[in-house]
Amino acid sequence: VKSEKLAGSSDQEVIKKAKDYFKVIEHRTKRQPYIRSAYFGKQKIFFTYFWKHLYQKPPRQRKIRVMFLPCANELIQQCRSAPNSIINVSKEVEIFHRFRGITKGKEIFLVQIKQNRKTDRKEFMSVFPEK
């Protein structure tokens, strides 16, 4: 991707920048915020689960994950290569799709999207660096 990670030294500073970045996406629609995915044929990928999932993580992990938000957004919008797809063992209705990307600074990261097989609704779940 051509986007850079969000910069910042403290957790609050990075999360504030991420919220400002997310406000732009949020104000594009009157309803639930979403972006369109190139891989899924321009279907909507919703953000409703992302913030809930993010705040379940410890503060250090939160900062690391939220720094990749602009990169994840660009990857979802433009990536056409097939992700690794895994059916959830506990809920067979869900499929997790993991896309790999490389930032401008040559860091590898993963974007996880959750798909409900019954409703075909797709949720942007998380973004994190590859270990």
Side-chain angles (χ1 to χ4, degrees), residues 24-38:
V24 175
I25 297 169
E26 219 172 13
H27 286 295
R28 289 183 191 154
T29 180
K30 293 180 183 177
R31 296 185 179 99
Q32 295 179 359
Y34 67 88
I35 54 175
R36 295 204 179 259
S37 169

Side-chain angles (χ1 to χ4, degrees), residues 12-60:
Q12 293 88 7
E13 183 182 354
V14 174
I15 289 176
K16 184 183 180 322
K17 286 182 182 180
K19 294 249 182 186
D20 291 342
Y21 178 82
F22 185 68
K23 271 184 187 171
V24 175
I25 297 169
E26 219 172 13
H27 286 295
R28 289 183 191 154
T29 180
K30 293 180 183 177
R31 296 185 179 99
Q32 295 179 359
Y34 67 88
I35 54 175
R36 295 204 179 259
S37 169
Y39 175 75
F40 294 111
K42 298 294 181 187
Q43 289 182 343
K44 295 177 183 178
I45 309 292
F46 294 97
F47 280 88
T48 52
Y49 193 73
F50 174 69
W51 293 105
K52 292 176 194 172
H53 182 72
L54 187 69
Y55 281 100
Q56 293 172 356
K57 303 294 176 193
R60 182 150 169 35

Side-chain angles (χ1 to χ4, degrees), residues 62-74:
R62 235 180 274 159
K63 177 187 170 190
I64 292 168
R65 289 171 184 242
V66 85
M67 288 173 89
F68 286 98
L69 186 60
C71 303
N73 186 16
E74 184 181 341

